[in-house]
Amino acid sequence: MKFLCVDCDQQMAFGERELPGDGTLAATFKCPTCGRVVALLTNPMETQLVSSLGVVIGGKTVPAQPLETVRTMVATGRDDAFEDTARRPDGPTAAAWSSEAQERLGRVPNFVRGMVKKIYADYAKERGITEITPAIMDTARAELGLEGM
């Protein structure tokens, strides 16, 4: 979002940002040509919404915040989030995925894909299935009561 000076038709420059402490946010923008100043004031709910979305009014002027990377990962998810990395060498190996099953898994939203993959992998492991196919996925969905998902 950009603010334009109506008289000069110029983009206004960011001036300053204030957090008064009552949950509101105030920011000023100044026209570089005529000097006109415009203020933006948000209510507490708007301030919280903008902050939760990671929007930085006036550009980023502070170093990265604590847990910024974690918040980003939670928003986007990771394919290997539910991988079992602690397998024993003498234990059962994970079932292979057919190309059709991998394609179908690729259509699952990214933020839950790891969990869905783990559900099917655990299902196959418990039943001694060596390859996960779309038919196995359908059977697992029916047996586990996941048809509506």
Side-chain angles (χ1 to χ4, degrees), residues 42-108:
T42 63
N43 66 38
M45 287 176 36
E46 293 165 335
T47 304
Q48 182 179 9
L49 174 65
V50 168
S51 296
S52 69
L53 293 174
V55 175
V56 180
I57 295 179
K60 192 164 189 162
T61 58
V62 295
Q65 298 297 309
L67 301 175
E68 188 172 17
T69 303
V70 173
R71 285 190 207 109
T72 303
M73 292 304 297
V74 170
T76 60
R78 282 187 17 216
D79 288 338
D80 64 346
F82 291 91
E83 296 273 329
D84 183 11
T85 57
R87 291 191 186 102
R88 293 188 330 227
D90 60 339
T93 59
W97 287 75
S98 72
S99 58
E100 296 87 6
Q102 287 177 349
E103 181 182 324
R104 184 167 165 180
L105 187 65
R107 293 192 301 263
V108 174

Side-chain angles (χ1 to χ4, degrees), residues 14 21 33 38 40 61 82 105-106 110 112 121 131-132 145 147:
F14 174 70
T33 305
V38 177
L40 168 73
T61 58
F82 291 91
L105 187 65
N110 189 32
V112 294
E131 183 181 35
I132 299 172
E147 293 94 355

